[in-house]
């Protein structure tokens, strides 16, 4: 555990509290953004003197930058086990842009085409599809897990109209791990394809797209570097090469073309025609170094470490009265390091604020860009949902979310648990102290 912590920059960073004290920052908001690996920052500093514009430049630095940029696709291909000759790797700003790009790329003249997504999706795997297709939602069971029987029923119902089944690999709200290869087999059996939102999946468990498997392979995968210890704004979209061969890019411009006249355009070959403008070489360097570091640690070790921390945290929190956990933790088999909860009688916004102000503990609160899912988990009636349309974000119903990273420690968790006990035992005191900050 201590060795893993040494990989991360900023773990001993002191932050000021409102009363003037300094305390070591404790970050349990890793599902939003992870801190950087030290190796990533070192690699960027090492590369910075060689930084130059990529593609078509004849200077040494430009040729070196171009070589590193293109070589990075091979490293990513190896990381998720795909064949570069069959799959295209496109760099984007983040997962959101990657999914939006795919939504445009799959557009056809058939307006009756159906996208099957789920009720547990991040907005980024819901909203991009709504204005281009008929969208239907695979339902959830009472525990908030995906209903595979409903998925099959909808595949049968729509038959060949289903363009894509798109699903999160791991929920950013509950940490539920979806059986993506089983879902892929169902989609392919009914002659559809699957897209996996891997933003929470790729940083936490080994991912194999199984490209040679006739039924269990993943057709499309999207993920973000900033959730895997590599800041600087890079995302990845992976899909079959032929998906990107035809059609125009949704962002035409520099870098996307092979030949242009006043009357005609010949687009460049993918992936380049999908990467408009000057590419983010620094972001790609950061992502590749993060992947190398995670491979050095081994993804299996990351998964086991985070699973151990999850079990330790849940078992501690379960013993605190007046705290409600919104996830079923039985054997932990399909749970990953995310814990949504609320304290009875204390608004989620206030809980997060007290943890930050009193102990320097960072958690996230609200709906985590997955409002329909949180509304369902909280069992909010439709008429109550409507009443919150014009209210502030701070006053709406929501959850507090703990999300663990490979570098978090049991000592940090103990501080969190102790603080949660203190809040529960002294709720009246904190409600008075933060009275002016309590949402209406």
């Amino acid at each position: 555990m201590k060795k893993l912590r040494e990989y991360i920059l900023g773990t001993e960073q002191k932050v000021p509290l409102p009363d003037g004290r300094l305390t070591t920052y404790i970050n349990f908001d890793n599902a939003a953004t992870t801190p950087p690996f030290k190796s990533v920052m070192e690699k960027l500093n090492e590369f910075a003197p060689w930084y130059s514009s990529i593609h078509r430049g004849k200077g040494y630095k430009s040729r070196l930058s171009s070589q590193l940029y293109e070589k990075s696709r091979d490293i990513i291909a190896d990381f998720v086990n795909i064949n570069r000759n069959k799959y295209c790797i496109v760099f984007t700003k983040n997962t959101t842009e990657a999914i939006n790009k795919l939504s445009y790329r799959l557009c056809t003249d058939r307006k009756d085409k159906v996208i099957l997504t789920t009720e547990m999706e991040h907005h980024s795997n819901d909203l991009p599809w709504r204005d281009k297709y008929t969208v239907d939602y695979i339902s959830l069971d009472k525990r908030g897990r995906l209903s595979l029987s409903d998925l099959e029923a909808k595949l049968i119902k729509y038959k060949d109209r289903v363009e894509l089944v798109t699903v999160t690999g791991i929920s950013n709200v509950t940490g539920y791990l979806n059986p993506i290869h089983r879902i892929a087999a169902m989609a392919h059996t009914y002659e559809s394809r699957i897209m996996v939102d891997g933003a929470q999946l790729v940083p936490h468990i080994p991912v194999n797209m199984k490209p040679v498997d006739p039924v269990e392979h993943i057709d499309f995968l999207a993920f973000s570097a900033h959730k895997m210890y590599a800041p600087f704004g890079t995302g990845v979209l992976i899909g079959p090469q032929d998906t990107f061969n035809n059609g125009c890019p949704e962002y035409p411009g520099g870098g996307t073309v092979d030949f242009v006249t006043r009357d005609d355009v010949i687009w460049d070959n993918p992936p380049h025609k999908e990467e408009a403008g000057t590419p983010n070489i620094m972001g790609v360097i950061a992502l590749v170094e993060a992947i190398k570091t995670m491979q050095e640690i081994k993804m299996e070790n990351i998964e086991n470490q985070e699973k151990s921390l999850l079990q330790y945290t849940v078992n501690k929190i379960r013993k605190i009265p007046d705290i409600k956990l919104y996830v079923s933790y039985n054997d932990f088999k399909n749970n990953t390091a995310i814990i949504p909860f609320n304290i009875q009688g204390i608004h989620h916004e206030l809980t997060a604020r007290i943890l930050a102000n009193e102990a320097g503990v960072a958690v996230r609160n609200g709906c985590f860009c997955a409002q329909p899912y949180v509304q369902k988990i909280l069992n909010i009636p439709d008429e109550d949902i409507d009443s919150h349309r014009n209210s502030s974000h701070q006053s709406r119903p929501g959850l507090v979310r703990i999300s663990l990273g490979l570098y978090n420690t049991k000592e940090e968790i103990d501080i969190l648990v102790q603080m949660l006990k203190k809040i529960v035992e002294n709720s009246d005191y904190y409600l008075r102290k933060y009275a002016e900050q309590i949402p209406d």
Side-chain angles (χ1 to χ4, degrees):
M1 201 176 283
K2 289 181 179 178
K3 185 177 180 181
L4 287 175
R5 195 166 177 81
E6 292 173 359
Y7 281 89
I8 304 297
L9 186 67
T11 55
E12 304 307 317
Q13 185 68 42
K14 300 285 186 179
V15 296
L17 301 181
D19 62 7
R21 289 180 295 140
L22 289 177
T23 189
T24 302
Y25 192 70
I26 298 176
N27 184 41
F28 291 130
D29 192 19
N30 294 284
T33 294
T34 51
F37 280 134
K38 291 177 182 177
S39 60
V40 167
M41 304 307 294
E42 290 166 359
K43 177 60 68 174
L44 288 172
N45 284 331
E46 177 187 316
F47 171 71
W50 305 96
Y51 170 76
S52 183
S53 179
I54 68 171
H55 297 155
R56 294 175 299 281
K58 298 302 183 288
Y60 181 83
K61 289 185 179 182
S62 182
R63 287 186 285 118
L64 175 64
S65 295
S66 300
Q67 181 182 8
L68 291 172
Y69 184 80
E70 294 303 329
K71 180 66 176 175
S72 66
R73 301 188 210 268
D74 293 329
I75 295 167
I76 293 168
D78 176 69
F79 187 55
V80 296
N81 187 34
I82 56 168
N83 186 331
R84 279 288 312 279
N85 294 326
K86 294 183 179 180
Y87 279 82
C88 184
I89 297 174
V90 179
F91 289 118
T92 62
K93 294 196 295 289
N94 44 46
T95 306
T96 300
E97 186 181 56
I99 296 173
N100 271 275
K101 179 176 284 293
L102 183 62
S103 75
Y104 283 103
R105 176 55 55 215
L106 295 183
C107 274
T108 67
D109 293 333
R110 284 189 58 186
K111 300 301 181 184
D112 65 337
K113 281 289 189 180
V114 174
I115 299 292
L116 292 182
T117 185
T118 84
E119 294 182 327
M120 70 194 313
E121 300 306 311
H122 190 283
H123 297 158
S124 296
N125 197 24
D126 178 0
L127 302 182
W129 308 106
R130 291 189 182 186
D131 62 342
K132 305 176 188 71
Y133 305 88
T134 298
V135 178
D136 202 352
Y137 297 89
I138 305 161
S139 65
L140 309 175
D141 64 21
K142 293 180 179 179
R143 297 186 299 167
R145 294 184 183 274
L146 190 64
S147 170
L148 296 185
S149 60
D150 188 59
L151 166 59
E152 184 166 31
K154 286 182 167 63
L155 285 167
I156 293 170
K157 172 184 175 181
Y158 292 111
K159 298 180 181 178
D160 64 347
R161 291 175 58 198
V162 179
E163 179 72 17
L164 189 71
V165 175
T166 182
V167 60
T168 183
I170 292 175
S171 165
N172 74 310
V173 176
T174 56
Y176 285 144
L177 173 65
N178 280 323
I180 57 173
H181 293 294
R182 187 174 172 189
I183 295 169
M186 294 173 68
H188 294 136
T189 298
Y190 292 94
E191 300 183 354
S192 182
R193 294 180 290 180
I194 180 174
M195 199 290 292
V196 173
D197 174 357
Q200 299 297 332
L201 178 75
V202 174
H204 300 287
I205 68 172
V207 174
N208 184 349
M209 292 183 68
K210 297 188 177 183
V212 298
D213 192 302
V215 292
E216 290 196 343
H217 68 272
I218 304 302
D219 298 285
F220 302 98
L221 176 68
F223 58 94
S224 288
H226 76 96
K227 297 184 188 294
M228 47 195 299
Y229 308 95
F232 305 102
T234 293
V236 177
L237 172 63
I238 302 174
Q241 187 76 32
D242 57 10
T243 305
F244 303 94
N245 285 336
N246 300 316
C248 305
E250 79 277 17
Y251 287 116
T256 64
V257 299
D258 178 57
F259 187 76
V260 179
T261 70
R262 290 181 60 179
D263 305 310
D264 191 25
V265 177
I266 299 175
W267 300 109
D268 203 348
N269 294 323
H272 300 133
K273 77 170 182 178
E274 302 294 339
E275 298 173 349
T278 300
N280 180 9
I281 177 65
M282 296 296 267
V284 170
I285 293 289
L287 169 60
V288 167
E289 186 61 30
I291 287 174
K292 290 179 179 178
T293 302
M294 295 174 87
Q295 289 176 320
E296 175 187 324
I297 297 170
K298 297 189 185 323
M299 291 305 301
E300 293 83 0
N301 291 336
I302 293 173
E303 181 181 13
N304 292 335
Q305 164 72 353
E306 292 180 349
K307 188 85 73 176
S308 173
L309 291 173
L310 173 68
Q311 293 184 38
Y312 184 83
T313 308
V314 168
N315 289 335
K316 290 271 187 177
I317 292 178
R318 273 175 169 163
K319 298 175 182 178
I320 306 174
D322 295 334
I323 288 185
K324 180 174 182 179
L325 296 174
Y326 288 89
V327 170
S328 174
Y329 299 100
N330 294 322
D331 57 7
F332 290 92
K333 181 179 179 181
N334 294 311
N335 298 106
T336 55
I338 289 174
I339 307 166
F341 72 96
N342 270 322
I343 299 177
Q344 184 178 332
I346 300 182
H347 192 273
H348 59 88
E349 172 81 10
L350 186 56
T351 299
R353 193 182 299 274
I354 294 171
L355 288 171
N357 287 357
E358 303 290 331
V361 174
V363 295
R364 188 155 292 249
N365 73 284
C367 293
F368 323 115
C369 296
Q371 292 184 33
Y373 190 29
V374 172
Q375 290 159 6
K376 190 173 187 69
I377 289 171
L378 291 172
N379 198 27
I380 301 174
D382 290 343
E383 58 271 21
D384 289 352
I385 292 174
D386 289 339
S387 70
H388 291 289
R389 288 181 183 274
N390 297 318
S391 62
S392 66
H393 289 284
Q394 290 77 14
S395 64
R396 291 173 183 166
L399 302 166
V400 184
R401 182 185 71 187
I402 300 164
S403 54
L404 304 165
L406 63 89
Y407 63 95
N408 287 128
T409 66
K410 292 180 178 178
E411 290 78 11
E412 289 181 318
I413 293 166
D414 288 342
I415 292 172
L416 166 70
V417 170
Q418 195 61 38
M419 194 64 216
L420 289 174
K421 288 180 181 178
K422 191 175 179 180
I423 295 171
V424 169
E425 292 169 358
N426 301 277
S427 59
D428 289 342
Y429 165 76
Y430 287 112
L431 288 171
R432 288 194 304 272
K433 181 176 180 178
Y434 289 88
E436 293 182 359
Q437 300 180 36
I438 298 173
D440 295 331

